[in-house]
Amino acid sequence: MCGRYTFIAPPGLVEDRFDAMFAEPVAPTYNAAPSQHLPVITNTAPGQIQLLQWGLVPAWVKDRTSGPQPINARAETLSEKPSFRQLLQRRRCLVLADSFYEWQQKEAHGLPPKTPHRILLKSAEPYAFAGLWDEWVDRATGEVLPTFTIVTTEPNALMAPLHHRMPVILESRAAERAWLDDGLSAQEHQQLLHPYPAELMQEYVISKLVNSPAHNEPAVLEPVQAA
């Protein structure tokens, strides 16, 4: 599962890293949460960084307030579920991030259960989660609501002690371009969805400030020593 993450890299660095421009100014977020509008690059506009709402509302839904709005989609079953299968074929996106949070569900190494951890690359550089997106249109008003979900996979060796799932971090710039490439098959896209190398990642324990999305501040990132 991926239910919280950060995106705090400087805008200029982000635009150079992803070869895309921000469609509008974006403030850093230290505690990105579902229902928020967050930076995404879609396959239909690969040169633009847009804000989409986290929590997928499929185009075919009549009432966006009813039914689930999944924040995650399992990589292994994308081709089996009709709504995800169609999006895998035609609506993929890069969800921009530079770390994510996970809560360890069991007591370990002197830590209490549900201990929050911050997970990031050893390089601390920004990266992209593999995502799917769609546009829901209000038939009464014509309002268009673009939304997204983050693809998850089995955990690598770093993540396994923390949780049984992890978000798919696309492993290279080439993989990011391939994920957005409409010329590839669904099978080729699905082959990109694997755990990121554990040896290139790091994690540490943080405080429970992160438990509330209201805490969107640098203090959320501060490490906490085990008792």
Side-chain angles (χ1 to χ4, degrees):
M1 179 174 177
C2 179
R4 300 284 180 78
Y5 65 92
T6 72
F7 188 60
I8 58 176
L13 185 153
V14 172
E15 291 180 334
D16 289 344
R17 166 65 176 79
F18 293 102
D19 301 318
M21 302 293 290
F22 282 97
E24 58 186 284
V26 175
T29 178
Y30 297 87
N31 200 355
S35 80
Q36 295 177 0
H37 288 76
L38 299 161
V40 166
I41 299 174
T42 68
N43 60 307
T44 58
Q48 189 176 64
I49 302 171
Q50 307 177 61
L51 295 180
L52 273 64
Q53 182 174 298
W54 187 11
L56 188 70
V57 180
W60 48 266
V61 170
K62 291 184 178 180
D63 181 1
R64 74 179 188 185
T65 63
S66 64
Q69 297 182 14
I71 63 170
N72 293 155
R74 293 176 64 93
E76 300 89 337
T77 57
L78 291 183
S79 61
E80 299 172 12
K81 297 186 176 181
S83 56
F84 290 154
R85 182 171 62 242
Q86 293 178 15
L87 298 182
L88 179 62
Q89 294 170 346
R90 62 187 179 85
R91 289 198 161 170
R92 300 165 310 282
C93 64
L94 306 180
V95 180
L96 308 190
D98 37 44
S99 71
F100 65 97
Y101 303 118
E102 193 52 80
W103 283 256
Q104 191 170 28
Q105 297 296 312
K106 60 182 180 180
E107 190 171 348
H109 306 298
L111 297 171
K114 295 189 177 179
T115 300
H117 294 245
R118 183 187 182 209
I119 303 99
L120 65 162
L121 305 189
K122 285 185 175 178
S123 66
E125 294 175 341
Y127 55 76
F129 298 129
L132 302 174
W133 69 284
D134 208 351
E135 287 183 330
W136 178 84
V137 179
D138 187 321
R139 292 170 176 78
T141 66
E143 175 196 3
V144 178
L145 177 68
T147 63
F148 73 92
T149 187
I150 294 172
V151 180
T152 66
T153 186
E154 60 186 14
N156 60 22
L158 179 99
M159 283 297 301
L162 306 181
H163 201 273
H164 64 280
R165 303 292 293 175
M166 70 177 291
V168 172
I169 300 174
L170 293 164
E171 196 168 339
S172 65
R173 188 72 186 106
E176 293 165 0
R177 292 192 180 100
W179 180 244
L180 296 183
D181 188 348
D182 290 332
L184 299 183
S185 68
Q187 182 178 9
E188 289 172 310
H189 285 133
Q190 199 145 18
Q191 289 172 352
L192 299 168
L193 306 177
H194 52 75
Y196 197 83
E199 64 272 15
L200 300 180
M201 301 179 71
Q202 59 179 318
E203 61 87 12
Y204 62 89
V205 176
I206 58 173
S207 78
K208 292 184 178 180
L209 277 176
V210 72
N211 290 0
S212 170
H215 295 297
N216 182 17
E217 58 205 41
V220 174
L221 309 180
E222 292 298 319
V224 171
Q225 297 298 320

